């Protein structure tokens, strides 16, 4: 009780002194008991202010392991120890879904472009950037604390890895393990490559409660009411599903699919230089688990491949207003992707960078 009386007295004295300074009036000589009695009414207000400041901070990543990271803002060593468990809990907040991308430093402008489009659909707070190098980890968390995590080992950060290269294979082959780890934590997870742009909210197309949702990567035009089953395989026994846009629920079926994908990637066959990406292994995993996993092919009009959207002007006009996510694939090279986005008015960074949580980079 003595602490409470001391606190309320201190609060009242400070308020009275402030009034004196502002109004240039003599400080009241009311008895201490009266001051403290009025202080009891001010004490709840002070507590509310305190809770309003402290509680939101407790939910931020800055509240973790403060003993090991006493500096503010957090030191670089703090972010090196920032775990996937902490990061997913922070970005998911009270939601059940985490939106994930994997990024290396040269592709930060593409990350920013993608984030602008995600922000326009009000889903940016659920985004988790899995940094493939420390430069990306530090830059994203400097601009947007808590939204980037690195899962060792870190890759080199100097060179953009091009499709089909050994570096690209090493980069993309880690993807199913990241997704499986998040599923094991109990979250839904949506994965996107950062050479994508959201034109609508894609979540409206996730009908039902299937284990896994994915998009076809072919350029052949499907009927508007096409089947949502796994397409029939080609002569080699495989399908051509895109591994760059996936939505998974934390079900046994989705986990089985990720484990099979990891197993296929572990085969030396898929590690050949000519197979320098994770997509063939993903398609084999889909085909081999199709009878055990509840899968859903997303509508082509909403999730077209780059080979369709950027080359078939007639189809784009006929399906205008139905596109949700556009993928800038079927083209190789950083500069080539950038130019095509600009040519089609989908490079948002130049004029709308402030709409991204990262701002101007």
């Amino acid at each position: 009780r003595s602490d409470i009386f001391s606190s309320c007295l201190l609060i009242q004295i400070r308020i009275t002194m402030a009034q004196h300074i502002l109004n240039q009036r003599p400080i009241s000589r009311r008895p201490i008991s009266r001051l403290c009695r009025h202080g009891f009414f001010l004490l709840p207000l002070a507590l509310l202010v305190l809770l309003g400041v402290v509680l939101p901070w407790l939910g931020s990543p800055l509240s973790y392991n403060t003993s090991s990271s006493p500096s503010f803002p957090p030191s670089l060593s703090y972010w090196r120890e920032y775990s996937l468990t902490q990061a997913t809990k922070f970005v998911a907040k009270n939601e059940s879904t985490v939106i994930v991308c994997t990024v290396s430093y040269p592709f930060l402008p593409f990350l920013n472009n993608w984030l602008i489009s995600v922000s326009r659909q009000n889903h940016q707070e659920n985004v988790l950037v899995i940094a493939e190098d420390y430069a990306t980890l530090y830059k994203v968390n400097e601009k947007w604390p808590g939204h980037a995590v690195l899962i060792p080992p870190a890759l080199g950060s100097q060179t953009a890895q091009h499709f089909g290269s050994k570096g690209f294979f090493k980069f993309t082959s880690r993807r199913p393990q990241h997704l499986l780890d998040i599923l094991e934590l109990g979250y839904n997870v949506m994965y996107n490559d950062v050479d994508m742009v959201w034109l609508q909210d894609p979540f409206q197309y996730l009908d039902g409660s299937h284990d896994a949702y994915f998009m076809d990567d072919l350029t052949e035009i499907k009927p508007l009411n096409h089947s949502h089953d796994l397409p029939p395989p080609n002569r080699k026994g495989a399908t051509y599903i895109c591994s760059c846009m996936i939505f998974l629920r934390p079900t046994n079926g989705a986990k089985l699919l990720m484990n099979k994908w990891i197993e296929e990637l572990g085969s030396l066959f898929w590690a050949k230089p000519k197979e320098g990406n994770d997509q063939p292994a993903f398609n084999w995993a889909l085909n081999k688990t199709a009878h055990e996993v509840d899968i859903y092919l997303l509508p082509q009009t909403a999730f077209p491949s780059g080979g369709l959207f950027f080359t078939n002007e007639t189809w784009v006009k006929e399906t205008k207003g139905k596109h949700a996510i556009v993928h800038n694939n079927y083209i190789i090279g950083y500069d080539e992707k950038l130019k095509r986005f600009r040519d089609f008015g989908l490079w948002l960074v130049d004029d709308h960078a402030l709409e991204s949580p990262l701002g101007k980079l």
Side-chain angles (χ1 to χ4, degrees):
R1 288 189 177 183
S2 62
D3 290 340
I4 295 176
F5 274 98
S6 298
S7 299
C8 71
L9 178 60
L10 180 61
I11 292 170
Q12 182 63 53
I13 289 174
R14 287 179 176 176
I15 292 174
T16 307
M17 290 179 67
Q19 289 174 338
H20 172 68
I21 293 170
L22 291 173
N23 301 325
Q24 295 296 312
R25 296 175 181 175
I27 298 176
S28 173
R29 296 187 179 182
R30 286 175 290 180
I32 295 296
S33 60
R34 293 184 61 193
L35 288 174
C36 201
R37 187 164 58 249
H38 289 294
F40 275 119
F41 293 100
L42 295 169
L43 185 58
L45 178 61
L47 289 174
L48 286 174
V49 172
L50 180 64
L51 292 174
V53 173
V54 173
L55 286 182
W57 180 82
L58 289 175
S60 80
L62 307 183
S63 65
Y64 291 110
N65 301 327
T66 52
S67 60
S68 62
S69 179
S71 60
F72 187 87
S75 63
L76 299 184
S77 62
Y78 174 85
W79 295 122
R80 292 174 74 99
E81 298 173 2
Y82 189 47
S83 71
L84 181 64
T85 300
Q86 292 172 321
T88 50
K89 181 178 181 181
F90 172 66
V91 302
K93 297 179 174 58
N94 295 323
E95 302 293 331
S96 59
T97 299
V98 177
I99 304 169
V100 173
C101 63
T102 55
V103 184
S104 60
Y105 195 79
F107 277 88
L108 280 180
F110 279 87
L111 168 65
N112 224 18
N113 196 66
W114 174 73
L115 277 174
I116 293 169
S117 70
V118 174
S119 297
R120 289 179 174 182
Q121 305 302 327
N122 298 313
H123 287 293
Q124 71 278 9
E125 289 306 316
N126 298 118
V127 168
L128 176 61
V129 177
I130 298 182
E132 294 290 349
D133 50 70
Y134 286 109
T136 302
L137 175 72
Y138 300 148
K139 175 58 70 173
V140 174
N141 281 332
E142 173 196 344
K143 295 278 190 174
W144 198 23
H147 283 269
V149 65
L150 187 145
I151 303 171
L155 303 181
S157 60
Q158 300 304 315
T159 305
Q161 303 295 344
H162 297 296
F163 180 87
S165 68
K166 291 182 179 180
F168 185 86
F169 176 78
K170 186 177 181 181
F171 177 78
T172 59
S173 63
R174 293 154 51 94
R175 181 184 312 170
Q177 187 62 59
H178 298 331
L179 300 182
L180 178 60
D181 290 342
I182 294 172
L183 293 176
E184 294 289 1
L185 291 171
Y187 298 99
N188 300 325
V189 57
M190 174 181 280
Y191 175 82
N192 275 194
D193 273 1
V194 293
D195 61 344
M196 292 183 164
V197 169
W198 289 20
L199 301 180
Q200 293 185 53
D201 189 335
F203 288 95
Q204 64 182 302
Y205 295 97
L206 304 180
D207 293 337
S209 56
H210 307 280
D211 296 329
Y213 299 73
F214 45 82
M215 56 184 280
D216 202 329
D217 209 19
L218 292 175
T219 59
E220 180 184 351
I221 298 176
K222 296 176 177 290
L224 292 179
N225 61 342
H226 67 76
S227 169
H228 298 291
D229 296 332
L230 185 69
N234 59 22
R235 294 178 181 178
K236 295 182 180 180
T239 47
Y240 204 63
I241 298 301
C242 185
S243 61
C244 304
M245 156 55 210
I246 306 170
F247 180 81
L248 304 165
R249 302 188 192 279
T251 60
N252 291 333
K255 294 173 186 178
L256 173 65
L257 176 59
M258 292 300 101
N259 276 305
K260 191 62 179 178
W261 189 4
I262 294 168
E263 180 183 324
E264 292 294 322
L265 282 168
S267 168
L268 291 176
F269 176 76
W270 294 116
K272 293 179 180 180
K274 67 177 182 179
E275 302 290 356
N277 70 93
D278 64 341
Q279 187 158 300
F282 179 60
N283 278 267
W284 280 114
L286 279 169
N287 282 268
K288 291 180 179 181
T289 61
H291 60 291
E292 301 175 80
V293 182
D294 183 1
I295 53 183
Y296 184 89
L297 180 67
L298 292 162
Q300 185 185 52
T301 52
F303 301 87
S305 70
L308 175 58
F309 184 87
F310 292 106
T311 61
N312 194 324
E313 184 178 354
T314 300
W315 180 87
V316 171
K317 289 181 179 178
E318 291 174 350
T319 57
K320 184 178 180 180
K322 298 179 181 180
H323 313 131
I325 293 182
V326 174
H327 188 196
N328 195 358
N329 64 346
Y330 275 81
I331 191 171
I332 299 175
Y334 184 102
D335 294 335
E336 289 74 10
K337 286 178 179 284
L338 177 58
K339 181 180 184 303
R340 187 159 75 172
F341 264 159
R342 280 185 168 142
D343 290 345
F344 282 80
L346 296 175
W347 187 250
L348 310 174
V349 172
D350 292 339
D351 299 323
H352 306 282
L354 295 181
E355 293 183 40
S356 166
L358 299 178
K360 293 183 178 180
L361 296 174

